[in-house]
Amino acid sequence: MTAERITTAGFLSQFVMRHTKMPDRPFCWVLGSGASIQSGIPTGGSLAMQWLKELHEMEDFSGSPLDQWATPANLNIKSFDFTKAASFYPFIYQRRFRDYREEGYAFLEHAMEMAEPSYGYSVLAQIMALSQHKVAVTTNFDNLIADAISTYTRGYPLVCGHESLTGFIRPNLKRPLIAKIHRDLLLNPKSEPDEIEKLPPEWDHALQVIFDNNTPIVIGYGGNDGSLMGFFKRIKPIKGGIFWCHRLGSEPDPQIHEIVEHHHGRLVPILGFDELMLQLWEKLQLPSPIPDLLKTHDKRVLDFQRQFEDLNKKLKHPGESRAAEAELKEVRAAASAAVERMTKEKDWWAWQLKANAEPAPDKAEALYHEGLKDFPDSAELTGNFAIFLHETRKDYDQAERLYRKALELDPKHANNIGNFAFFVESVRGHHDEAERLYRRALELDPRHANHTGNLALFMANIRHDNDEAERLYRKAVELDPKHPVILSNFAYFLWDVRQDHAEAERLYRKAIELGLNRATDIGNFAIFMENVHKNFDEAERFYRKALELDPTHADHTGNLALFMANIRKDPDEAERLYRKALELDPKHANNTGNFAGFMAARGNLAEADRLYRVSLGLASTPQWIKDQHAAFLKEHPEFDKPS
């Protein structure tokens, strides 16, 4: 019995024709160990030969050559033929590890642990993730297909590595499916004859579903087990046939001819798995994965660095209780040791960690300068120094110079662009440029939750486009459901704009819980409790908790001053807090304007006028201060003169 053949070129044309004109009849992939050779995993045949050599070394006392010693009698394998050793793989495995099965599992794990998906798997991953050909059936234990999908695409496969999972297999799955009919390497894989001779009934049904809906392409499978081969033999001819690829120059087993003819299929001689997949990649004109790989790598590095830095910042906050504080000491010690170890690395991030660990701003600034001497072309360190000058030193001119230099060094650095957008908006008040920068940052990295949240804040506060703001807030929360700043800002939006107080309170409380004593979230919730629930005792408790956690927070110092003046009617405490707030941030327009109104109410008109004029001279002065000053001058015209 001889099956019909088709050239590789003919097969590729058939694939492309069905791919484009018959999307309702996809292909599926049936892979054996031959597909993994180029990934560094030995084939079943080579493993069988290795085990024969080990048995020969352990048991031959006569000095016979391996091919003479390996007989049916010595191996206790019926009808064994040394020239066809590969086809006896399960029997040789059983014979080699019959006394200690765990040794067999350990051997297989070791053989596969260092394997990396070869080029062909990168193409297979793209095809399975981006097209209708989403199903792979394999006798292999390895994770090459799943690893390739997670590495080269944004897909997430359903891996059925045990017959108990076959109930999840459905026709027309939306995500890639990997069906491991001999189980996963970590789930007691099947290698012995009685295990792979027949399919479990669960796989019988699942494979029927798969082949009823997909046309198989077999690659690297020699048919050395009874289970899948038996299944192919007994089912009705598969719609669309079967394409059985075999290595050029080798002749498939007669059983394979029989199966291919039964299913009205074709034998396809190929050079190898990688070579065939390269041809498919070109035929389908698949995009290069390199840009996404580089972006994903860079993002993972940045995420690790950001998460490490954020965790260290959180650890600086005091614990909620004595017990928590005692536990924190141990964690802080570990963090300190980790930072020390990281700072020994010769890269820009080591300088960043040193600057983060330095509590004195002058010394931290000196460390940034030293770091930039070593790494003058680091867009990351330059951009982070800009943030430091912006937020800590309030040296806005120098910060802007560094922001712009960072973008010269790397015009496509999404994080630096988004940070500069925030600076341009909040410090310079250049709203059109800020929006352009925000949108450019999100064009380069659409999954950046922080910049999405900042643009939402901008659209609400500056553009007054509340629908767009809410859409962006919800997207930001979806991207990072545990970002306390985004949750807190969205809570304020829902309170102030949508009047959804219940949802706002839920988000505030979640932000406080996730922020682990972040002063900003606690202070914002104090404002909410004061203005919405009129729970003044609770509000004051939260205000003072926020300032206990961060005594240098100018916003909440000013907010507590306003609260003490308007609610508690304690003018002396209010004035003390106002002066402290302006000492912390002399360029804070809101605090300056509020203090001006407070001093006017106390009768210190000259000081009130001075403070109003200071506030009006600051960047981005709110309109309410301008209106309040105009009313002040109308009531006290003696101050209506050029400053």
Side-chain angles (χ1 to χ4, degrees):
M1 185 175 289
T2 303
E4 293 190 31
R5 303 174 191 267
I6 188 172
T7 64
T8 305
F11 162 72
L12 293 169
S13 295
Q14 282 282 298
F15 187 99
V16 173
M17 187 276 291
R18 296 195 194 182
H19 170 77
T20 54
K21 296 180 180 178
M22 301 176 67
D24 58 332
R25 182 64 193 183
F27 290 101
C28 69
W29 314 89
V30 179
L31 303 186
S33 62
S36 303
I37 298 173
Q38 288 154 303
S39 299
I41 295 180
T43 64
S46 62
L47 288 175
M49 189 57 65
Q50 180 177 341
W51 296 330
L52 284 174
K53 290 176 182 177
E54 291 174 0
L55 288 167
H56 178 240
E57 181 182 46
M58 291 187 290
E59 299 180 11
D60 175 43
F61 292 94
S62 64
S64 308
L66 174 63
D67 59 342
Q68 293 180 20
W69 175 84
T71 63
N74 283 334
L75 293 171
N76 196 24
I77 298 175
K78 186 178 179 181
S79 304
F80 178 79
D81 182 345
F82 183 78
T83 62
K84 298 178 180 179
S87 63
F88 291 89
Y89 166 91
F91 299 94
I92 299 170
Y93 173 87
Q94 182 186 50
R95 176 69 169 78
R96 170 65 182 84
F97 299 110
R98 65 185 177 184
D99 297 322
Y100 192 26
R101 295 183 65 179
E102 284 75 11
E103 185 183 354
Y105 299 151
F107 181 97
L108 293 172
E109 281 190 46
H110 180 74
M112 298 175 191
E113 66 185 357
M114 300 304 292
E116 287 288 330
S118 66
Y119 170 79
Y121 279 100
S122 73
V123 178
L124 179 63
Q126 284 186 283
I127 294 173
M128 290 180 68
L130 302 176
S131 75
Q132 66 268 36
H133 318 296
K134 293 188 177 300
V135 180
V137 177
T138 180
T139 56
N140 300 338
F141 311 136
D142 60 62
N143 291 313
L144 293 174
I145 306 173
D147 287 350
I149 290 172
S150 64
T151 300
Y152 293 100
T153 78
R154 294 187 180 181
Y156 189 78
L158 168 61
V159 180
C160 287
H162 192 280
E163 57 270 19
S164 63
L165 300 174
T166 56
F168 294 100
I169 294 176
R170 300 280 189 278
N172 306 316
L173 286 166
K174 293 182 180 179
R175 65 176 67 251
L177 165 69
I178 304 167
K180 295 185 173 186
I181 62 171
H182 291 167
R183 296 187 181 172
D184 184 83
L185 180 62
L186 303 179
L187 297 176
N188 194 14
K190 295 184 174 185
S191 290
E192 299 192 8
D194 57 337
E195 294 177 327
I196 64 174
E197 184 60 31
K198 188 177 180 183
L199 281 173
E202 297 94 335
W203 274 121
D204 239 32
H205 173 73
L207 290 179
Q208 190 68 61
V209 170
I210 289 171
F211 295 127
D212 279 348
N213 293 277
N214 300 268
T215 297
I217 298 170
V218 183
I219 309 174
Y221 175 54
N224 296 324
D225 67 302
S227 55
L228 187 57
M229 292 296 283
F231 179 82
F232 277 137
K233 286 178 182 177
R234 69 176 178 271
I235 62 172
K236 294 179 181 178
I238 296 170
K239 187 177 180 181
I242 186 170
F243 292 92
W244 199 298
C245 302
H246 65 94
R247 191 168 289 277
L248 186 68
S250 68
E251 184 58 34
D253 187 268
Q255 285 189 91
I256 295 174
H257 279 271
E258 179 185 338
I259 288 170
V260 172
E261 189 172 49
H262 169 66
H263 292 287
H264 312 298
R266 296 289 186 275
L267 291 171
V268 187
I270 62 171
L271 287 171
F273 174 64
D274 284 1
E275 291 82 356
L276 179 67
M277 299 312 288
L278 171 61
Q279 290 172 285
L280 267 176
W281 189 76
E282 188 57 30
K283 281 283 187 181
L284 295 174
Q285 292 291 288
L286 295 173
S288 169
I290 292 175
D292 272 351
L293 285 173
L294 291 171
K295 189 182 293 185
T296 299
H297 171 267
D298 291 345
K299 185 177 184 305
R300 284 176 177 166
V301 170
L302 288 172
D303 283 349
F304 171 80
Q305 292 169 338
R306 176 180 59 80
Q307 290 162 7
F308 185 85
E309 291 175 33
D310 287 349
L311 180 56
N312 276 274
K313 288 175 185 175
K314 285 180 181 178
L315 293 175
K316 292 178 182 178
H317 295 309
E320 288 277 4
S321 63
R322 286 185 180 180
E325 185 62 29
E327 289 295 323
L328 274 170
K329 285 182 181 178
E330 298 296 324
V331 182
R332 287 179 189 133
S336 179
V339 169
E340 181 65 26
R341 188 154 50 89
M342 293 285 195
T343 54
K344 292 177 181 176
E345 300 293 326
K346 302 297 182 183
D347 58 20
W348 71 266
W349 194 45
W351 286 106
Q352 183 64 52
L353 291 175
K354 289 176 184 178
N356 289 347
E358 178 51 65
D362 289 346
K363 292 181 180 179
E365 184 170 344
L367 287 168
Y368 274 118
H369 283 296
E370 280 189 70
L372 287 174
K373 285 179 185 176
D374 279 357
F375 298 96
D377 296 329
S378 170
E380 293 86 357
L381 192 60
T382 304
N384 289 346
F385 190 19
I387 295 171
F388 174 83
L389 291 169
H390 167 194
E391 296 183 350
T392 302
R393 301 301 254 173
K394 312 298 181 187
D395 186 346
Y396 298 139
D397 292 342
Q398 185 71 346
E400 181 170 354
R401 185 185 71 79
L402 284 170
Y403 274 128
R404 293 193 184 279
K405 182 182 177 184
L407 296 189
E408 285 176 19
L409 291 169
D410 185 354
K412 294 185 177 181
H413 195 295
N415 200 41
N416 282 341
I417 294 170
N419 291 335
F420 187 37
F422 182 73
F423 173 87
V424 168
E425 174 199 350
S426 60
V427 175
R428 298 306 191 202
H430 298 160
H431 297 151
D432 290 344
E433 184 182 9
E435 183 172 355
R436 180 183 65 78
L437 288 165
Y438 277 132
R439 295 197 182 278
R440 174 62 176 155
L442 291 177
E443 179 185 322
L444 291 166
D445 185 0
R447 299 188 62 77
H448 198 296
N450 196 45
H451 298 325
T452 304
N454 284 343
L455 180 56
L457 191 66
F458 175 89
M459 296 306 293
N461 294 349
I462 304 301
R463 298 305 193 203
H464 305 295
D465 186 342
N466 294 330
D467 291 342
E468 174 70 351
E470 183 169 351
R471 184 189 69 79
L472 287 163
Y473 271 129
R474 294 198 182 280
K475 182 180 178 184
V477 171
E478 180 185 323
L479 291 170
D480 188 352
K482 297 182 178 181
H483 196 304
V485 178
I486 294 169
L487 292 170
S488 186
N489 288 341
F490 190 21
Y492 179 78
F493 174 87
L494 291 170
W495 159 32
D496 184 57
V497 176
R498 299 305 196 200
Q499 303 296 306
D500 188 346
H501 295 161
E503 180 68 358
E505 182 171 352
R506 186 186 70 80
L507 290 175
Y508 269 132
R509 292 192 183 279
K510 186 175 180 183
I512 291 171
E513 177 188 340
L514 293 169
L516 296 176
N517 286 336
R518 215 177 71 95
T520 300
D521 305 321
I522 292 170
N524 289 342
F525 191 47
I527 301 170
F528 178 83
M529 295 303 288
E530 175 190 349
N531 290 277
V532 174
H533 290 309
K534 308 298 181 185
N535 188 336
F536 300 135
D537 291 343
E538 189 77 340
E540 183 173 352
R541 185 175 71 82
F542 279 114
Y543 277 131
R544 295 198 182 278
K545 176 68 173 175
L547 292 178
E548 178 188 324
L549 292 168
D550 185 359
T552 64
H553 202 301
D555 276 342
H556 296 313
T557 305
N559 289 339
L560 181 55
L562 192 65
F563 177 86
M564 297 307 293
N566 296 344
I567 304 301
R568 295 306 194 200
K569 309 299 183 186
D570 186 342
D572 292 339
E573 174 69 349
E575 183 169 344
R576 184 189 71 78
L577 288 163
Y578 272 130
R579 293 195 184 281
K580 182 181 178 184
L582 292 186
E583 183 183 312
L584 292 169
D585 185 359
K587 297 180 179 181
H588 195 298
N590 276 355
N591 284 343
T592 310
N594 281 332
F595 193 21
F598 174 83
M599 294 306 287
R602 293 207 87 178
N604 192 339
L605 302 182
E607 178 68 353
D609 183 61
R610 184 189 71 79
L611 288 165
Y612 274 130
R613 292 182 187 277
V614 168
S615 183
L616 292 170
L618 299 174
S620 303
T621 302
Q623 184 62 42
W624 69 265
I625 296 179
K626 298 175 184 178
D627 295 341
Q628 194 167 292
H629 186 229
F632 173 84
L633 293 177
K634 187 174 181 181
E635 187 174 349
H636 305 286
E638 66 271 24
F639 293 102
D640 192 4
K641 57 183 182 298
S643 58

